[in-house]
Amino acid sequence: MTLSFRGFEKNSSDESDSDSGEDFEEFNENDSADSIQDEEENMSDDEAATTMDNETKNGDDDEDEVVKAIKAEKNKQRDHPPTITCDDFIVDISFNPSRNLIALANIVGDILLYEYNTEETKLVNTLELHLKACRDVEFDIDGTTMYSTAKDKVIMAVDVETGKLKKCIEDAHEEPVYSLKCLDDNKIVTGDDGGTVKLWDIRKPDPVFTLKIGDEHVSDMITNDAQKYLVCAGGDGVLTTIDLKGSKIYTTSEEYDSELTCMGLFRSDSKLLVGSSKGKFYLFNWKEFGYHSDEYLGQKHSIQCMVPITQNIVVTSGEDGVLRAAHMFPQRQLGIVGQHRLPVERLDISHDGQFIASCSHDNDVKFWNISYFESIDSIIDVNHKQNKKKDMSNNLPSSSVKNAADFFSGLA
């Protein structure tokens, strides 16, 4: 935005007390521009500084209050890393769990590693790992090993510090691998486009088990700290739970009327939230995966991704490119965290919980400071009557768009 400012001061000439035209003409000749300039040059430094201060003050008084508010917003100290703009479509992102490092997986099969802080993002490594489009990238629990998978059916394990390849599993699945989840003790699980899930110990050449759970892609997988059950969301609208210890299917849910796209855990892992391509959320009690305990319409667009922020708050996004926050217990919309011009593909949260990152179809990765949620979480009024339409359009502090009411509140 280009702003123009007006700070000019026009001084009118003093009227002459002289009653003769000759005197007036004589005044114009003697008080020439040169004599006025000489007078200004003979001013003391203090007098000149005072004059400049007065002119500046008068100019500032002429500025519109809205312009001042805009300038104040522009001059605020940055509280989040700058946007990363990429040449290629970003398929997935993953924050390192122990340092300020984020991995970006793109459509040409490369993984880009960026260090970040509030002032800059710095590309520290480009890893050309896959021959086809990446599908998923994840760090292990310590952040020392990075796993990736792609449409080429290959699973890669890379040392984060050196960038050297630790493990390469070719033809890991018969179908392209769609999703990957890190467990502990060198174990990962992968799901493919054809509904097959495999558990791997990367120290061994073959999978620990292989289970066919459906006919559509495995869109997301999740487990809790105990890692007894692995819950898989499917493109066929079915939630399938695998008993990891017993290497068998534990239960399957009813078939829902849309693709199940993403999942998150809340309330000390006792509640499972599942998003869908029709904008609905389904809430399950942990271990009770056959049928949801509650459901509600989150938005009219497809929900592609979610990230839990606190034990009660989730941020979701998808087809409309808007990141929205909701409080789950009680359920109510909190507002807009941020926005992209195009659909959002993935979300993730930093190791310290201060930022979330989002990647969009416009090849941008944006960062949002969400530290304010800790205070919001503790002051939610359970008896407050929700205006859902108003709350869904409310711009939260991290949003790049300000609410008109907030913006003009200090201008009265």
Side-chain angles (χ1 to χ4, degrees):
M1 181 187 297
T2 302
L3 300 177
S4 60
F5 301 93
R6 292 183 300 165
F8 300 101
E9 207 172 14
K10 184 177 180 180
N11 296 320
S12 60
S13 299
D14 295 333
E15 292 183 0
S16 174
D17 292 334
S18 174
D19 56 359
S20 70
E22 292 179 357
D23 290 341
F24 183 74
E25 290 175 0
E26 185 180 355
F27 171 82
N28 284 334
E29 290 177 359
N30 293 335
D31 293 337
S32 63
D34 291 338
S35 63
I36 293 174
Q37 182 177 355
D38 291 339
E39 183 180 345
E40 289 179 348
E41 289 177 351
N42 291 329
M43 291 172 62
S44 68
D45 290 341
D46 290 341
E47 289 172 335
T50 302
T51 301
M52 290 177 66
D53 288 343
N54 290 335
E55 289 175 352
T56 302
K57 182 178 180 181
N58 292 335
D60 288 344
D61 289 341
D62 289 343
E63 284 186 0
D64 190 279
E65 291 296 324
V66 175
V67 174
K68 290 181 180 180
I70 292 174
K71 289 173 67 178
E73 289 292 326
K74 295 291 185 184
N75 292 331
K76 278 186 177 179
Q77 186 175 359
R78 173 177 285 278
D79 67 352
H80 60 277
T83 297
I84 301 172
T85 301
C86 302
D87 294 330
D88 301 295
F89 180 82
I90 302 300
V91 179
D92 192 26
I93 55 176
S94 180
F95 277 108
N96 188 286
S98 60
R99 53 185 282 201
N100 288 1
L101 185 74
I102 186 170
L104 282 55
N106 67 25
I107 201 169
V108 299
D110 300 339
I111 308 292
L112 311 176
L113 294 177
Y114 279 84
E115 290 180 344
Y116 64 89
N117 55 49
T118 56
E119 297 300 322
E120 65 175 355
T121 53
K122 179 183 178 182
L123 179 65
V124 294
N125 208 345
T126 299
L127 304 171
E128 299 177 356
L129 298 177
H130 298 276
L131 298 176
K132 294 185 179 180
C134 291
R135 290 289 188 80
D136 208 332
V137 59
E138 301 289 338
F139 290 99
D140 68 355
I141 192 169
D142 298 320
T144 58
T145 302
M146 182 187 72
Y147 296 93
S148 64
T149 188
K151 198 174 180 180
D152 59 9
K153 307 175 186 177
V154 177
I155 299 171
M156 298 282 194
V158 175
D159 184 275
V160 174
E161 192 64 34
T162 65
K164 293 183 178 180
L165 189 64
K166 297 174 67 174
K167 183 78 171 182
C168 175
I169 307 175
E170 296 182 344
D171 296 320
H173 285 248
E174 293 183 4
E175 299 285 341
V177 184
Y178 192 93
S179 56
L180 182 151
K181 186 74 176 179
C182 291
L183 304 178
D184 56 9
D185 300 327
N186 296 298
K187 291 180 181 178
I188 61 171
V189 285
T190 52
D192 67 22
D193 283 354
T196 296
V197 173
K198 295 187 178 185
L199 172 65
W200 303 86
D201 185 328
I202 65 166
R203 296 165 295 188
K204 300 175 181 179
D206 299 317
V208 177
F209 69 70
T210 300
L211 289 173
K212 177 77 169 175
I213 65 170
D215 296 322
E216 298 290 336
H217 64 278
V218 182
S219 56
D220 197 10
M221 298 179 291
I222 199 168
T223 187
N224 62 4
D225 290 339
Q227 295 189 3
K228 177 174 175 57
Y229 301 110
L230 176 75
V231 184
C232 307
D236 55 4
V238 176
L239 202 67
T240 304
T241 306
I242 296 173
D243 182 343
L244 290 173
K245 309 297 184 183
S247 302
K248 62 183 180 180
I249 294 178
Y250 173 71
T251 187
T252 57
S253 73
E254 68 166 28
E255 184 175 342
Y256 292 93
D257 63 355
S258 60
E259 174 189 348
L260 303 180
T261 56
C262 52
M263 297 182 289
L265 289 171
F266 301 86
R267 289 293 178 97
S268 301
D269 297 349
S270 65
K271 299 290 183 179
L272 172 68
L273 185 67
V274 181
S276 74
S277 60
K278 287 192 175 180
K280 276 188 177 181
F281 288 107
Y282 301 98
L283 190 64
F284 293 82
N285 294 317
W286 190 253
K287 295 184 181 180
E288 299 174 7
F289 307 115
Y291 191 74
H292 60 272
S293 61
D294 198 5
E295 70 173 270
Y296 64 93
L297 181 65
Q299 56 192 57
K300 296 179 181 179
H301 307 282
S302 173
I303 300 166
Q304 289 299 115
C305 46
M306 72 168 67
V307 58
I309 303 299
T310 69
Q311 292 290 340
N312 300 303
I313 295 174
V314 62
V315 172
T316 63
S317 192
E319 197 173 79
D320 66 348
V322 179
L323 284 67
R324 289 187 173 89
H327 194 283
M328 301 306 303
F329 313 98
Q331 196 283 312
R332 61 163 295 184
Q333 294 292 327
L334 298 178
I336 295 174
V337 173
Q339 47 280 113
H340 287 262
R341 295 182 300 106
L342 297 175
V344 171
E345 193 71 18
R346 289 290 186 269
L347 295 170
D348 200 14
I349 187 168
S350 62
H351 66 94
D352 55 4
Q354 186 175 8
F355 308 115
I356 57 174
S358 53
C359 63
S360 168
H361 289 199
D362 56 12
N363 299 354
D364 283 351
V365 176
K366 293 186 177 184
F367 297 83
W368 316 92
N369 189 314
I370 45 86
S371 55
Y372 57 86
F373 276 118
E374 289 295 337
S375 58
I376 288 179
D377 197 8
S378 62
I379 60 173
I380 293 295
D381 183 3
V382 296
N383 298 315
H384 172 72
K385 186 176 180 180
Q386 181 188 6
N387 183 335
K388 185 175 181 180
K389 183 177 181 181
K390 181 179 178 181
D391 288 345
M392 286 189 73
S393 62
N394 174 53
N395 287 287
L396 296 169
S398 56
S399 174
S400 58
V401 176
K402 300 299 180 184
N403 300 308
D406 295 339
F407 185 80
F408 290 105
S409 61
L411 305 183

